[in-house]
Amino acid sequence: DFSEVIMYQLHVRGFTKHSSSKVKDKGTYLGIIEKIPYLKELGINALMLLPCYEFDELSLDVGSYNAPSENGTKNTYYLSPKSSYASDVRHSDVEFKEFVRQMHLAGIEVLMDIYFRPGTNLYLMTDCLRHWVINYHIDGFRVNQEVMPAISLVSDPIISGVKLLTSYWDE
């Protein structure tokens, strides 16, 4: 229940990147797993992940879908975990699934902040959120309501079953 949520927002890489984190896999999903005892000490029961889907960090087009890469091919964003946040970039999906599984075993829900660019197709956004729930067992999302109306979220049979935040903290 929302009234019982004690949420901690973090950036996957930034949370454990510094040497003071004392984790083996700095700046990765596995690094956060190593910090579960610390998170439990804080008393949290939910993590809000800042964008951790695949995006080109050097582009101003963060979060775009099927943006052309330097070699002219299409990169699929929104639908896969950020590979550079994994200890093995070839298996970021497996590592992300293990991260979510370990959080759940510790009694911590995992929510994602997903920023959809204005003009993104509504069906794509819906399919994207369903994908994260079905394939990665994500417990909720914060989405920008000006692009994806809340009514679309609560009327979907899969998405309506998770926690939904449609406004940002300052509103």
Side-chain angles (χ1 to χ4, degrees):
D1 186 71
F2 269 115
S3 65
E4 298 173 6
V5 172
I6 302 171
M7 190 177 300
Y8 188 96
Q9 178 176 276
L10 62 82
H11 181 277
V12 172
R13 181 180 292 142
F15 185 64
T16 61
K17 188 68 173 174
H18 194 269
S19 61
S20 65
S21 70
K22 299 178 182 165
V23 299
K24 177 183 165 235
D25 294 298
K26 293 177 179 18
T28 68
Y29 304 115
L30 294 182
I32 298 173
I33 292 171
E34 293 179 62
K35 298 298 283 186
I36 288 175
Y38 169 73
L39 294 170
K40 295 300 287 182
E41 277 181 41
L42 294 177
I44 64 111
N45 57 17
L47 280 182
M48 170 62 74
L49 303 177
L50 290 172
C52 61
Y53 46 85
E54 197 61 66
F55 62 90
D56 180 353
E57 295 176 72
L58 303 177
S59 170
L60 296 177
D61 205 17
V62 174
S64 67
Y65 183 77
N66 281 340
S69 67
E70 288 180 18
N71 62 9
T73 62
K74 298 284 188 173
N75 294 324
T76 301
Y77 298 102
Y78 292 137
L79 299 173
S80 58
K82 182 83 175 122
S83 60
S84 65
Y85 297 168
S87 61
D88 181 347
V89 297
R90 297 166 299 164
H91 302 291
S92 59
D93 59 332
V94 173
E95 191 169 313
F96 187 83
K97 286 178 182 180
E98 179 61 15
F99 157 72
V100 173
R101 189 177 85 76
Q102 291 298 322
M103 291 299 124
H104 287 166
L105 288 173
I108 300 172
E109 293 181 316
V110 179
L111 291 84
M112 291 178 63
D113 187 347
I114 297 187
Y115 174 79
F116 291 111
R117 293 184 48 129
T120 304
N121 180 291
L122 181 60
Y123 295 108
L124 168 68
M125 293 186 285
T126 303
D127 285 349
C128 171
L129 299 180
R130 286 179 187 157
H131 168 77
W132 286 102
V133 172
I134 293 168
N135 296 304
Y136 294 99
H137 307 287
I138 293 300
D139 301 296
F141 303 97
R142 177 171 55 191
V143 297
N144 45 327
Q145 185 173 335
E146 67 278 4
V147 176
M148 185 168 200
I151 191 68
S152 299
L153 297 167
V154 298
S155 62
D156 184 86
I158 294 172
I159 300 169
S160 64
V162 300
K163 288 182 170 56
L164 300 169
L165 304 168
T166 58
S167 295
Y168 284 84
W169 304 125
D170 61 345
E171 295 182 2

